[in-house]
């Protein structure tokens, strides 16, 4: 999506260790108009998959998942990384390595809000190695739900996430696909 | 706001220790249409305060802050509770007691996104004792910004947050004001 790619070109910064800094408009300061546009586009691309719920992971996934769900008329559930006291004693929990934290994080969903027969559209900010998204897939499948699509704002194509998701055989979409960040230079797949 | 009060009546649950469980539509599963409506109403109430930025705290504040900011045409910044590696070494940090976690949490904002002269509208899900909101106030004031308004979805009026905020002398709005939750019964101020 041109608007997102243009913004990454303008404001994104390539840091060491393959980290793309987009915290001026996606994950610390957020541009709501851009998020709304991205949500509208993801909703358009997934209009025909028959999703009944959007699933994401806190924290950075919340903004794009909320706007996508808004434009699809669906509820959105965000997996928590710590269990709040409002959650029941027994929960769905998986662990996934965090790229930006360099450690394993927990992803926790209450069984009240993820159940058998649900058709889940997963939305997140990044598709990199796919490890967080696989965590969400495991939660949904354990609950007896099925995955009907996976959408992200940005894909770092060189980290192999899309290939890792191939066994799911579902539509995978990213609004800005980065082919390379070598030597700090962003190359998009347009 | 009638739609929010009705939803709390229908789906909210009073738990022990004065906790109101609203994780079916606000802070685990989210109803995007309701959040959009709440954001529109908060934007209307704060239309004249001259805000330049919306500030909230992850995690539950993100949804209402995003929709409010969207309807005001402003950027939104959410204070992080852990410092991601994309943030500069030197940050604005304060600590505040968390009501639902029973411990102190850190609230961290990058000085890149909160600066001198900004006019800050604080949006959060709950106004209870006001301790999280005071944390956000301290961050903004330390950055040299001023507070021009404080809006929340739900106010637990019996916890005294509104009175604690009085010295700021700014407009404080809540879309659903709960007067009492004694014996598990919700009494709204309508």
């Amino acid at each position: 999506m041109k608007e997102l790619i243009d913004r990454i070109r303008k404001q994104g910064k390539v840091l060491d260790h393959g980290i793309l800094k987009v915290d001026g408009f996606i994950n610390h300061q957020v541009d709501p108009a851009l998020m709304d546009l991205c949500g509208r586009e993801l909703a358009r691309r997934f209009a025909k998959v028959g999703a009944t719920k959007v699933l994401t992971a806190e924290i950075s996934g919340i903004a794009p998942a909320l706007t996508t769900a808004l434009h699809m008329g669906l509820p959105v559930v965000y997996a928590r990384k710590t269990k709040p006291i409002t959650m029941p004693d027994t929960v769905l929990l998986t662990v996934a390595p965090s790229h930006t934290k360099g450690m394993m994080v927990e992803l926790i969903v209450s069984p009240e809000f993820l159940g058998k027969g649900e058709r889940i559209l997963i939305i997140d900010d990044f598709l990199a190695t796919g490890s967080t998204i696989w965590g969400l897939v495991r939660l949904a499948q354990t609950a007896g739900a099925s995955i009907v699509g996976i959408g992200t704002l940005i894909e770092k194509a060189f980290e192999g996430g899309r290939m890792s998701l191939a066994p799911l055989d579902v539509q995978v979409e990213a609004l800005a696909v980065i082919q390379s960040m070598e030597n700090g230079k962003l190359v998009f797949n347009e």
Side-chain angles (χ1 to χ4, degrees), chain A residues 39 42-44 46-49 51 54 67-74 121:
Chain A
L42 286 168
R44 190 188 67 78
F46 290 107
K48 294 180 179 169
V49 299
V54 172
T67 56
T68 303
L70 179 63
H71 289 291
M72 297 183 84
L74 297 176
L121 171 62

Side-chain angles (χ1 to χ4, degrees), chain A residues 94-98 103-107 131-136 138:
Chain A
T94 191
V95 290
S98 165
M103 57 181 234
M104 300 298 283
V105 295
E106 294 184 340
L107 295 171
S131 58
T132 303
I133 288 169
W134 266 111
L136 295 172
R138 288 193 298 276

Side-chain angles (χ1 to χ4, degrees), chain A residues 28-43:
Chain A
H28 179 30
Q29 178 165 268
V30 181
D31 177 340
L34 180 66
M35 283 307 107
D36 190 56
L37 207 61
C38 291
R40 192 181 297 266
E41 174 62 14
L42 286 168

Side-chain angles (χ1 to χ4, degrees), chain A residues 93-153:
Chain A
L93 182 152
T94 191
V95 290
S98 165
H99 198 62
T100 42
K101 289 190 182 154
M103 57 181 234
M104 300 298 283
V105 295
E106 294 184 340
L107 295 171
I108 305 168
V109 170
S110 168
E112 300 164 287
F113 306 121
L114 193 59
K116 207 167 166 167
E118 295 269 19
R119 295 173 60 83
I120 301 297
L121 171 62
I122 292 175
I123 299 289
D124 206 356
D125 57 343
F126 274 95
L127 170 58
T129 63
S131 58
T132 303
I133 288 169
W134 266 111
L136 295 172
V137 168
R138 288 193 298 276
L139 289 175
Q141 290 179 338
T142 303
S146 57
I147 307 297
V148 297
I150 295 164
T152 70
L153 299 178

Side-chain angles (χ1 to χ4, degrees), chain A residues 7 11 16 26 38 51 56 65 102 109 127 134 141 145-146 169 186:
Chain A
R7 182 66 75 89
Q11 263 187 283
D16 290 344
I26 292 179
C38 291
T56 190
V109 170
L127 170 58
W134 266 111
Q141 290 179 338
S146 57
D169 196 24
L186 286 164

